[in-house]
Amino acid sequence: MTEPVRVSYGELTKLLATIFRKHGCSEHVAAILAENMALAQGDGAHSHGVFRVAGNLGSLDTGWVDGTAVPIVEDVAPGFVRVDGNNGFAQPALLAARDLFVAKARTNGIALLAVRNSHHFGALWPDIEPFARDGLIALMMVNSMANVVPHGGNKRLYGTNPLGFAVPRPGTDPLVFDQASSTWSNGDVQIARREGRALPVGVGVDRNGQPTTDANAVLEGGALLPFGGHKGSAIAMMMEVMAAGLGGGDFSFEVDWSRHPGAATPRTAQTIILIDPGRGAPRDFSARIETLIAAIHDAGQDRLPGDRRYANRRDAHRDGIPLDPAVAARLRDLAAAEA
Ligand code: NDP
Ligand code: PYC
């Protein structure tokens, strides 16, 4: 295995922002995307870090996503904020609504944000972890593009539809999980294909609906399976309802980028629910969570969701973010290239 090169958060963010600007993003959007991607890379989220540069550029270069979009925030009810992403990336839309959304959650104890007409191509935890650091519980639901067959079905319908959940823990890192509702993320299957690795049995099917361990067969006409059979299939369905249905965006099976060959980002919807756990709580929420976590450890689960990412983050802050040398060179070339 090639020894990685190490780059600082500052250097990687600057490189990525330069690349996104050169491919049509405004300064503001480029900075947000770059920070999001550097954070993901630093946390060791390999399927949603710099691996996503090419897909983002494919969507920008073909005009499928608008890198200069200005989101429209709508204050629709005391506990409800909507955002029309204006065919831009989801992260700037979320940022545009953040202050109003948090204020509503603090006033009401709960609030919901529904973003539509927006492209989410990243990990969810960078969106929700900051809410938990501000003392709020965050639940995020996203739908993507059809590449998952529903349980017992025979064609692609759901996206890999991720679910993210973040819980504040005073004095320490929030408890966060962030997972696709499919067996594997599409990104991980692409990485397996690139590295020539076979998939475990039960991850996906080929174009005839037959089980396969061939990543290429899954990606070219085949499909991923929901995790846990009918249970994951129900979660994937819920993501379609809560993100696209509630938000007013496209379902994963409605994403049509046929006139934008090379586009890769799903134009769908994202929903976040924020809860202020201190509001009217009959027992001390923070103490209860620590009791739960102690019991989980006592039951033998040492590693909590998020532990791997936080450990990677500590290493990356100390030593730099590890990058494959060829990837680092490619990023530098892209940043230096003529616009
Ligand atoms: P993983 O299966 O790798 O991990 C899911 C969660 O489980 C993480 O919180 C992880 O923590 C935790 N976890 C993993 N292994 C263990 C273990 N042994 N014990 C306890 N907890 C564990 O994630 P996925 O492949 O499902 O998703 C990867 C990323 O892809 C996510 O960030 C997701 O948001 C993103 N994604 C985005 C999509 C989009 O539409 N934007 C679509 C699909 C996926 P840890 O992080 O610490 O490893
Ligand atoms: O890895 O499955 C995935 C994915 C879809 C959209 C963004 N990531």
Side-chain angles (χ1 to χ4, degrees):
M1 192 149 122
T2 326
E3 194 60 27
V5 293
R6 301 264 171 184
V7 294
S8 68
Y9 279 91
E11 187 191 350
L12 183 56
T13 306
K14 204 165 148 197
L15 269 178
L16 293 167
T18 304
I19 295 167
F20 292 133
R21 268 199 318 273
K22 288 192 171 185
H23 286 263
C25 286
S26 65
E27 193 98 19
H28 175 70
V29 169
I32 293 170
L33 284 188
E35 188 188 352
N36 179 281
M37 204 171 267
L39 285 175
Q41 191 68 28
D43 272 23
H46 299 297
S47 59
H48 289 80
V50 300
F51 174 71
R52 294 284 163 183
V53 168
N56 278 305
L57 299 192
S59 287
L60 285 162
D61 295 347
T62 57
W64 168 244
V65 65
D66 180 356
T68 64
V70 177
I72 303 165
V73 178
E74 305 158 69
D75 184 347
V76 290
F80 206 138
V81 183
R82 285 192 188 277
V83 185
D84 179 346
N86 247 336
N87 193 30
F89 290 102
Q91 291 80 7
L94 169 57
L95 188 65
R98 193 180 200 283
D99 288 351
L100 176 64
F101 183 34
V102 168
K104 282 181 183 292
R106 295 212 190 282
T107 304
N108 300 316
I110 184 164
L112 186 145
L113 171 69
V115 184
R116 67 184 182 282
N117 196 13
S118 45
H119 301 238
H120 201 299
F121 203 47
L124 304 197
W125 63 262
D127 301 338
I128 54 174
E129 188 188 311
F131 292 120
R133 291 198 182 275
D134 286 347
L136 298 165
I137 298 172
L139 178 68
M140 182 166 188
M141 292 158 275
V142 171
N143 72 303
S144 60
M145 58 287 205
N147 52 22
V148 176
V149 65
H151 182 64
N154 54 22
K155 66 176 187 188
R156 294 173 166 204
L157 176 78
Y158 299 134
T160 44
N161 299 0
L163 172 68
F165 182 60
V167 181
R169 294 180 69 192
T172 187
D173 290 323
L175 179 62
V176 180
F177 78 74
D178 174 16
Q179 59 192 41
S181 48
S182 47
T183 46
W184 278 31
S185 73
N186 184 271
D188 275 338
V189 180
Q190 289 182 49
I191 292 171
R193 172 165 71 176
R194 194 178 62 189
E195 294 176 353
R197 279 187 282 117
L199 307 176
V201 174
V203 166
V205 292
D206 65 17
R207 60 175 62 245
N208 301 312
Q210 295 304 309
T212 182
T213 58
D214 179 355
N216 201 48
V218 169
L219 294 171
E220 303 303 330
L224 284 157
L225 295 168
F227 79 85
H230 63 281
K231 299 185 183 187
S233 200
I235 301 286
M237 178 182 69
M238 183 178 91
M239 301 299 135
E240 299 287 342
V241 172
M242 292 298 288
L246 186 66
D250 280 353
F251 290 121
S252 301
F253 64 84
E254 292 173 328
V255 172
D256 179 9
W257 44 32
S258 52
R259 287 190 292 142
H260 302 265
T265 60
R267 182 172 64 208
T268 53
Q270 305 82 35
T271 290
I272 304 180
I273 297 171
L274 287 186
I275 300 167
D276 183 344
R279 278 306 199 82
R283 298 168 82 174
D284 179 339
F285 177 78
S286 301
R288 296 295 292 152
I289 297 310
E290 293 316 307
T291 299
L292 172 65
I293 289 172
I296 293 170
H297 287 316
D298 190 49
Q301 183 180 8
D302 289 334
R303 179 219 199 281
L304 290 175
D307 283 355
R308 179 194 65 92
R309 285 193 308 100
Y310 290 132
N312 284 335
R313 190 182 301 178
R314 281 190 290 276
D315 290 351
H317 277 291
R318 191 188 56 233
D319 303 329
I321 301 172
L323 280 183
D324 181 284
V327 171
R330 171 83 184 127
L331 293 179
R332 291 195 174 107
D333 286 350
L334 280 169
E338 291 296 320

